[in-house]
Amino acid sequence: MSIELFTAATPNGIKAAIALEELELPYTVQAIVLGSRAQKEDWFLAINPNGRIPAIIDHDNDDFAVFESGAILIYLARKAGRLLGEGADNESLVMQWLMFQMGGLGPMMGQANVFFRYAEEKIPYAIDRYQRETRRLLEVLDRRLGEVEYLAGDYSIADIANWSWARSHEWSGVSIYGLGHLDRWLQAIAARPAVQRGQAVPDSSATPEEKSKRAEQVIAGARNMLV
Ligand SMILES: N[C@@H](CCC(=O)N[C@@H](CS)C(=O)NCC(=O)O)C(=O)O
């Protein structure tokens, strides 16, 4: 009995896998092919009514299902009793920076990806709007990381959530030039073995050819998803 993770190799998807790895919780993976719209099928909507990944089923807890990546991270951290901040104030700091990602960085980078990378019609106003907002949010992270080692002081699920998005700034067409604290933090988290294992779930394309093929598939899949 363990946790069943429904996921794909996207920023929200790897968040859950990284948390499971960091928290050393046993899990199995069901890879969801987003481009084929498996996430919109009835069996999946019964697990996540929003029809998106990630989602989990906890088979140790009466098959309790959880959707929304932020809620998944909180659920897993509570289950393992780690990475959630100790004491009310520290837990609040973790929540603040987790919500910052869920309500800000994720949605803005997601829209930057749509208009800059996936949409066939290139709309300069929309591209500029979401890229500028992404850069602004990355600057907020940089300032914070100039004061503390990790977003909530100690390493937590807030770092996992923000890192999973911030690491792919190039895919959104946003530079982190001049953001040295952010760069330091990006590299420190990338070096963690659990993060390396989690970010390779559900697949890890090794060669540059495979990676470039995967990028093309992601764009084609995203266009199919956006119809
Ligand atoms: N707020 C949700 C967003 C989930 C989400 O947007 N997932 C994307 C992948 S990163 C997805 O499943 N896209 C497929 C679709 O839109 O059909 C969360 O954080 O879990």
Side-chain angles (χ1 to χ4, degrees):
M1 297 287 265
S2 65
I3 288 169
E4 194 174 359
L5 168 66
F6 300 83
T7 197
T10 72
N12 289 319
I14 63 167
K15 252 188 246 177
I18 291 171
L20 284 158
E21 291 288 345
E22 288 281 13
L23 294 163
E24 298 173 284
L25 292 167
Y27 68 103
T28 57
V29 177
Q30 299 285 348
I32 302 294
V33 181
L34 297 177
S36 70
R37 300 177 67 82
Q39 72 278 17
K40 310 297 182 202
E41 291 170 12
D42 287 346
W43 70 270
F44 189 79
L45 294 176
I47 300 165
N48 178 358
N50 195 28
R52 294 194 162 196
I53 60 92
I56 58 166
I57 296 179
D58 187 352
H59 294 297
D60 288 332
N61 181 21
D62 226 358
D63 292 347
F64 188 67
V66 188
F67 73 98
E68 280 297 321
S69 58
I72 292 171
L73 296 193
I74 295 167
Y75 180 87
L76 296 175
R78 282 225 168 105
K79 189 174 171 85
R82 287 202 286 126
L83 301 186
L84 201 56
E86 281 187 28
D89 290 0
N90 287 328
E91 185 172 319
S92 171
L93 282 172
V94 172
M95 292 301 152
Q96 291 170 48
W97 287 103
L98 178 62
M99 299 301 155
F100 171 88
Q101 184 278 300
M102 293 298 295
L105 191 64
M108 292 305 121
M109 286 186 80
Q111 293 307 312
N113 292 347
V114 167
F115 288 105
F116 172 70
R117 191 67 74 175
Y118 308 141
E120 277 167 292
E121 185 191 357
K122 298 296 175 208
I123 306 169
Y125 182 87
I127 295 171
D128 191 47
R129 156 81 187 151
Y130 292 114
Q131 286 185 334
R132 271 201 293 158
E133 187 60 3
T134 297
R135 170 74 195 196
R136 187 189 70 76
L137 293 165
L138 293 173
E139 287 171 5
V140 173
L141 288 179
D142 185 65
R143 270 195 301 281
R144 172 70 178 160
L145 292 165
E147 297 159 359
V148 285
E149 189 175 0
Y150 293 106
L151 292 170
D154 292 331
Y155 181 69
S156 74
I157 55 172
D159 297 291
I160 295 175
N162 281 281
W163 183 87
S164 297
W165 275 98
R167 71 189 270 269
S168 64
H169 60 90
E170 275 177 22
W171 185 252
S172 311
V174 177
S175 162
I176 59 162
Y177 182 76
L179 307 184
H181 306 299
L182 180 71
D183 197 28
R184 183 262 307 156
W185 170 87
L186 281 172
Q187 289 183 40
I189 296 177
R192 296 177 69 91
V195 170
Q196 289 169 6
R197 289 193 301 274
Q199 72 173 331
V201 174
D203 55 29
S204 54
S205 305
T207 67
E209 290 74 27
E210 280 167 339
K211 279 193 179 140
S212 124
K213 191 156 171 257
R214 203 178 105 66
E216 284 164 28
Q217 286 166 348
V218 167
I219 293 172
R223 286 183 177 153
N224 194 34
M225 239 156 56
L226 290 165
V227 292

